[in-house]
Amino acid sequence: MTVLRPELTGTLGGVAATHWLASAVGMGVLERGGNAFDAAAAAGFALQIVEPHSNGPGGDVVIAVYSRATGTVRVICGQGPMPRAATIDAFAARGIKQIPAGGLLPATVPGAFGAWMRLLGEYGTLPLESVLEPAIAYASRGYPLLPAAATTIDAMSGLFRGHWSESARVYLPGGAAPAPGTRMRNEELADTYRRIVREAKGASAGREAQIEAAHTAFYQGFVAEAIDRFARTTDVFDSTGSPHRGLLTGDDLATWRPPVEEACALPYGDFTVHKPGPWSQGPVFLQQLALLEGCDLRGKGLGSGAYVHTVAEAAKLAFADREAWYGDPDHTPVPLDDLLAPGYTARRRALIGEEADLDPQPGRPGGAEPWIPQPEPEEPGVNEPEWMAHLRSGLPTVTPAGPRAGAGNTCTVAVADAWGNLVVAVPSGGWLKSSPVIPGLGFALGTRGQTAWLSEGHPNSLAPGRRPRTTLSPTIVLRDGAPFLAFGTPGGDQQDQWTLHAFLAVAEFGLEPQAAAELPAWHIDHFAQSFAPRLARPGVVVVEGSFDAEVLAELERRGHRLDVVPRSTLGKVCSAGVDPATGFLRASAGPRGRQAYAVCR
């Protein structure tokens, strides 16, 4: 293969993000003396402005942190829980059998702001005003509108004009859908962040106290009051085809704080891989690694038909377990130790044969009986506008080629600094397509609640205060106990496949992270998507057209059902870390979508 971009190395820091402006913001913070955590937060807030189709302040984020001072990896969970009023009976009373993708009903407590504040408060060094300044500047002075964002706004413009007037006011300047490259502004969101900074500075002169005051302003102050008022009093047209008020209240926000927890970890050769817990899909990465460690991947050859087949079959087994067993462990026990136990893994690995398994089943950790709920089919209405189909899709962006061929869902930022710290965050939710802009705030609520089941007894069943299982899944890897690589990608359910493929190329075949991010990509589509309408394509492996014809032929001979999509359309793997051979910091970003960029100095 020809690697399109160089492997960037430096000594001051490395930043990689899904938008070049966010990467530049992060590097600017490092140049001003901030650490990796300051840089990641500043870049994360900038992403809320410049990628509004993929994330926003009302959404969620999962942040993985390696602090050289402590030598440990921690995860900050910015996935807010479901409201107290969100019960299965509450949806049944509304005649709803599957949590809708759009509107106010799937809204969770907005977790992104609180998670970024916790990162800054516990790990950062710069004052809040310095970290928020770039985001405020882009919101106020303008930023170039990405083509994917322009496409999404245009596709949803009928909904905005007819039903979501505040979204129309923000995203249809002059009443028309803006063209790609248009200078876009969101002055109302800039004012929201300016007011948070003013209130924080007015509360205290101390850095930590100001960050705490900012959290209070969002979750107990004017932001929470605006969210509460809008959700309680506004009938919002949603993806059910009818208007509904929300379930989220100010009390739900006031009692929430983002938890910080120990990462799940698995040794893999010289590496130790760290992931968020089973309230995310993160452990599925570890289960795949455990299955593949005994499969002689090097002997099969990187990118060969045998290699892709083996990795795809391991993914089926791991994702079957995800579907049956993952959920919020604070509410329902998740047998993660059993799922990663060597004996269990060996029994599952033995199921990987020479032919594609078209009916992979979850395992029985501890002898328990698995259960995977089935989605309720949705019937489209008669003569519905085109935007209604987009509203029913829980994925954030609209792409002409369909959701499986798009590379624009969700965001990522990864940072390594000269002090030996690593951080990677995957922000999402609160995007412009699925929920209306809240008057007075300039942003929309997240809709992650759609990933929970309206069925009793499953680990991911809807329940008040329970976190719906999120797809957001950053990764931090140590090598021989030292910081090595932090990475993530947009991609919903595919995140822990695309990043796994890149990591295996580094760990098993010695590729540089940049080369690994540019390899031909693929993923399984066997199980129902986490997002409404929960489509599934049993036996399907989605592959980029850059694979050799003989590889595709072998996969078909083994029984895989192939969906060949255009070259360079799957994922945007971004990473930052340390080159163990030289000690240089490094950063890389996949070229897909022509917007992710890395910076090193």
Side-chain angles (χ1 to χ4, degrees):
M1 62 174 288
T2 300
V3 181
L4 300 178
R5 293 181 177 177
E7 183 77 11
L8 303 180
T9 57
T11 56
L12 176 67
V15 183
T18 47
H19 197 294
W20 66 89
L21 291 177
S23 299
V25 165
M27 183 53 67
V29 168
L30 294 177
E31 290 171 337
R32 295 197 303 271
N35 65 17
F37 314 116
D38 299 313
F45 282 117
L47 285 171
Q48 293 175 357
I49 309 301
V50 301
E51 290 197 62
H53 57 305
S54 296
N55 80 136
D60 29 70
V61 64
V62 181
I63 309 171
V65 172
Y66 172 79
S67 168
R68 193 58 184 264
T70 63
T72 58
V73 178
R74 293 289 183 268
V75 173
I76 301 175
C77 174
Q79 176 53 64
M82 292 299 296
R84 295 171 188 171
T87 65
I88 292 175
D89 287 343
F91 281 89
R94 292 165 172 80
I96 297 173
K97 297 181 180 180
Q98 183 170 301
I99 300 176
L104 295 181
L105 288 175
T108 60
V109 172
F113 187 84
W116 288 122
M117 289 301 102
R118 184 135 196 195
L119 177 71
L120 281 177
E122 295 197 14
Y123 297 97
T125 62
L126 295 183
L128 174 66
E129 185 175 19
S130 297
V131 171
L132 277 173
E133 186 278 329
I136 293 171
Y138 282 124
S140 180
R141 300 174 196 163
Y143 61 92
L145 188 68
L146 289 171
T151 298
T152 301
I153 293 169
D154 183 55
M156 306 307 291
S157 60
L159 172 66
F160 293 174
R161 293 189 186 97
H163 300 279
W164 294 0
S165 58
E166 196 69 10
S167 296
R169 192 176 68 79
V170 173
Y171 292 111
L172 300 176
T182 297
R183 182 187 287 263
M184 286 291 290
R185 297 177 174 87
N186 189 340
E187 190 62 45
E188 201 160 70
L189 180 51
D191 285 342
T192 295
Y193 278 144
R194 288 189 188 107
R195 182 173 173 182
I196 288 174
V197 170
R198 285 197 307 271
E199 293 192 8
K201 292 174 70 175
S204 172
R207 176 184 172 276
E208 288 78 10
Q210 287 186 8
I211 291 170
E212 180 61 28
H215 178 99
T216 300
F218 194 100
Y219 291 96
Q220 298 178 33
F222 78 96
V223 175
E225 291 169 1
I227 291 172
D228 179 89
R229 182 168 54 251
F230 184 66
R232 281 189 300 103
T233 64
T234 310
D235 294 310
V236 168
F237 185 88
D238 60 33
S239 54
T240 66
S242 300
H244 292 97
R245 296 187 183 186
L247 302 172
L248 189 67
T249 70
D251 288 340
D252 293 314
L253 274 72
T255 56
W256 180 81
R257 296 191 73 86
V260 179
E261 59 189 49
E262 186 174 352
C264 299
L266 183 79
Y268 187 81
D270 297 337
F271 306 95
T272 305
V273 182
H274 299 81
K275 298 292 295 185
W279 46 268
S280 76
Q281 69 174 0
V284 81
F285 190 105
L286 305 182
Q287 284 197 258
Q288 290 174 94
L289 278 183
L291 289 164
L292 293 168
E293 194 165 20
C295 290
D296 186 25
L297 295 180
R298 295 180 191 177
K300 299 180 190 304
L302 179 62
S304 69
Y307 178 86
V308 175
H309 164 77
T310 302
V311 176
E313 292 302 293
K316 290 177 185 176
L317 295 173
F319 275 84
D321 280 344
R322 184 197 76 163
E323 291 301 290
W325 301 112
Y326 288 20
D328 187 346
D330 291 346
H331 287 255
T332 302
V334 176
L336 190 57
D337 289 343
D338 291 335
L339 292 170
L340 291 171
Y344 177 87
T345 299
R347 291 191 295 274
R348 299 286 281 166
R349 186 186 299 120
L351 299 175
I352 299 176
E354 295 299 314
E355 305 295 324
D357 185 352
L358 300 182
D359 190 27
Q361 296 298 309
R364 291 170 168 77
E369 190 66 25
W371 172 52
I372 300 177
Q374 297 303 307
E376 292 283 343
E378 288 188 343
E379 295 295 332
V382 178
N383 297 323
E384 284 186 344
E386 185 177 351
W387 52 257
M388 190 66 197
H390 298 312
L391 183 61
R392 284 208 175 100
S393 167
L395 295 170
T397 53
V398 174
T399 57
R404 289 176 178 80
N409 301 326
T410 308
C411 311
T412 298
V413 56
V415 186
D417 68 22
W419 293 282
N421 301 307
L422 296 178
V423 58
V424 55
V426 182
S428 188
W431 45 69
L432 62 87
K433 166 182 167 286
S434 298
S435 196
V437 170
I438 299 168
L441 297 181
F443 65 82
L445 292 174
T447 55
R448 186 70 59 173
Q450 66 181 287
T451 65
W453 291 105
L454 290 179
S455 304
E456 297 281 4
H458 189 270
N460 193 35
S461 294
L462 173 72
R466 176 180 287 178
R467 291 171 288 186
R469 189 192 72 211
T470 181
T471 55
L472 307 181
S473 189
T475 309
I476 286 183
V477 179
L478 307 183
R479 186 170 192 174
D480 295 325
F484 178 66
L485 205 59
F487 55 87
T489 185
D493 295 278
Q494 287 76 48
Q495 289 178 36
D496 283 303
Q497 298 186 67
W498 296 335
T499 54
L500 176 81
H501 306 160
F503 173 68
L504 289 174
V506 173
E508 292 285 356
F509 298 93
L511 268 67
E512 294 178 341
Q514 182 63 47
E518 296 187 26
L519 285 171
W522 80 95
H523 64 265
I524 65 165
D525 248 357
H526 182 89
F527 297 99
Q529 289 185 344
S530 295
F531 301 95
R534 294 186 180 272
L535 299 175
R537 298 196 293 173
V540 170
V541 178
V542 182
V543 295
E544 290 183 334
S546 44
F547 274 98
D548 290 340
E550 54 265 31
V551 172
L552 302 182
E554 180 173 351
L555 291 172
E556 289 185 320
R557 181 182 61 78
R558 290 175 180 265
H560 296 282
R561 300 163 181 168
L562 299 186
D563 179 6
V564 182
V565 298
R567 295 168 177 258
S568 297
T569 50
L570 301 178
K572 303 189 193 94
V573 178
C574 295
S575 71
V578 182
D579 184 338
T582 64
F584 286 132
L585 302 175
R586 58 186 179 183
S588 64
R592 295 166 174 86
R594 299 181 62 203
Q595 68 179 67
Y597 263 85
V599 184
C600 260
R601 256 213 55 195

